[in-house]
Amino acid sequence: MEPHTMRHIIMLLCLTCSQWSIAASLQLPDSTETVLVNGKASEQSSVKLDLTLPDGMQQIAFRYQAHYRDNGRQDNFISDVVILRFQAEEQTYQLTLPAINSASDAKQFNAQPALGLIDQTGKTMAFTQDKLMKSGLQIGRDFAQENAQYNDSDAIAAIAPNTAIIRRLATAAMAIASEQGTQVMSNSAVPLVKKPEDITQAEVSRMLDYWYQKANNHTQAEFKAKINQ
């Protein structure tokens, strides 16, 4: 077997072992209905977290469903869609919710959801919460689309960069490529030069990573400063 082939196999084995060893999950109460996990539809009460995301940042959207008695009558409560964002590591987390025993409790939860998040040692975790709201008819909602729009905003629990920042950096990267007369193939590390409105997020990510790796330390520092503006 040729040396470069052996190195390739070893790298793949190391990557596979690394993926097997990394595990994290979020346990939700049975009274919750999971809507989205990191932008993807999910209905699981035990959510597998993706630690390959930038900074391990997770975003879970869910509803709280509860039953309570009011004047001898049983009422059902389904909350607004709550968004939970937190930074995860390789361990198990538990979401806690307050009891809903009355219409007043239900109204209070929708007004200001009282959430709790603890890790497997019982330590209280920091998190950010918000609600995914839509006016009008609630039937047939496209939560994935709503969540994508939410993450393109400056909302407090968003996990994606602001669209304006992405477009500004993508345009700058394309300008550099154009000035240098860069000709790239479709299977290259950098995508073909396109109009800003035609660029996908995957292409933006590859472009930014390519030019960041090409930059010296000073330029990389300036690059980071622009993102944080």
Side-chain angles (χ1 to χ4, degrees):
M1 183 178 296
E2 297 182 4
H4 73 277
T5 303
M6 178 61 75
R7 286 197 300 270
H8 193 197
I9 293 174
I10 292 173
M11 289 175 63
L12 289 174
L13 288 174
C14 290
L15 177 60
T16 302
C17 290
S18 175
Q19 290 175 335
W20 283 344
S21 65
I22 297 177
S25 64
L26 172 65
Q27 305 295 323
L28 296 100
D30 293 336
S31 54
T32 58
E33 175 198 4
T34 310
V35 176
L36 295 169
V37 177
N38 295 319
K40 298 180 181 179
S42 176
E43 297 180 356
Q44 301 177 4
S45 59
S46 179
V47 175
K48 183 179 179 181
L49 303 177
D50 185 357
L51 297 184
T52 66
L53 294 173
D55 298 323
M57 196 64 71
Q58 312 295 313
Q59 187 187 58
I60 315 298
F62 67 92
R63 287 191 181 108
Y64 184 10
Q65 302 183 71
H67 309 283
Y68 62 90
R69 299 194 68 81
D70 185 14
N71 294 324
R73 182 189 68 222
Q74 179 168 295
D75 284 342
N76 299 323
F77 167 68
I78 301 178
S79 74
D80 297 328
V81 177
V82 179
I83 295 180
L84 172 70
R85 186 191 71 181
F86 68 100
Q87 190 172 21
E89 296 179 349
E90 189 178 354
Q91 60 175 302
T92 300
Y93 299 89
Q94 177 72 52
L95 175 69
T96 62
L97 299 171
I100 302 293
N101 296 317
S102 65
S104 176
D105 290 341
K107 183 177 180 180
Q108 175 62 28
F109 184 87
N110 261 345
Q112 190 173 3
L115 312 180
L117 183 66
I118 57 175
D119 67 11
Q120 61 193 30
T121 68
K123 177 184 176 182
T124 300
M125 302 298 300
F127 61 89
T128 304
Q129 68 183 69
D130 200 3
K131 292 199 293 185
L132 191 64
M133 301 297 293
K134 178 187 176 184
S135 59
L137 189 65
Q138 301 298 303
I139 299 175
R141 292 176 62 177
D142 187 341
F143 290 114
Q145 178 63 29
E146 290 180 36
N147 190 70
Q149 293 174 351
Y150 179 90
N151 284 332
D152 275 340
S153 72
D154 292 320
I156 58 173
I159 59 173
N162 187 281
T163 302
I165 295 176
I166 291 177
R167 291 192 179 278
R168 190 162 63 243
L169 294 176
T171 301
M174 288 191 299
I176 295 173
S178 178
E179 289 174 2
Q180 295 185 359
T182 304
Q183 298 295 324
V184 291
M185 303 301 291
S186 59
N187 61 348
S188 172
V190 186
L192 292 168
V193 175
K194 300 179 180 181
K195 296 179 180 179
E197 58 269 22
D198 296 330
I199 298 175
T200 67
Q201 297 304 300
E203 290 172 326
V204 170
S205 178
R206 291 197 301 272
M207 290 171 68
L208 296 180
D209 182 67
Y210 176 85
W211 289 112
Y212 182 82
Q213 297 301 328
K214 289 288 185 181
N216 58 29
N217 291 338
H218 177 71
T219 303
Q220 287 180 353
E222 290 183 336
F223 185 84
K224 291 178 180 178
K226 287 181 180 179
I227 293 177
N228 293 325
Q229 287 179 352

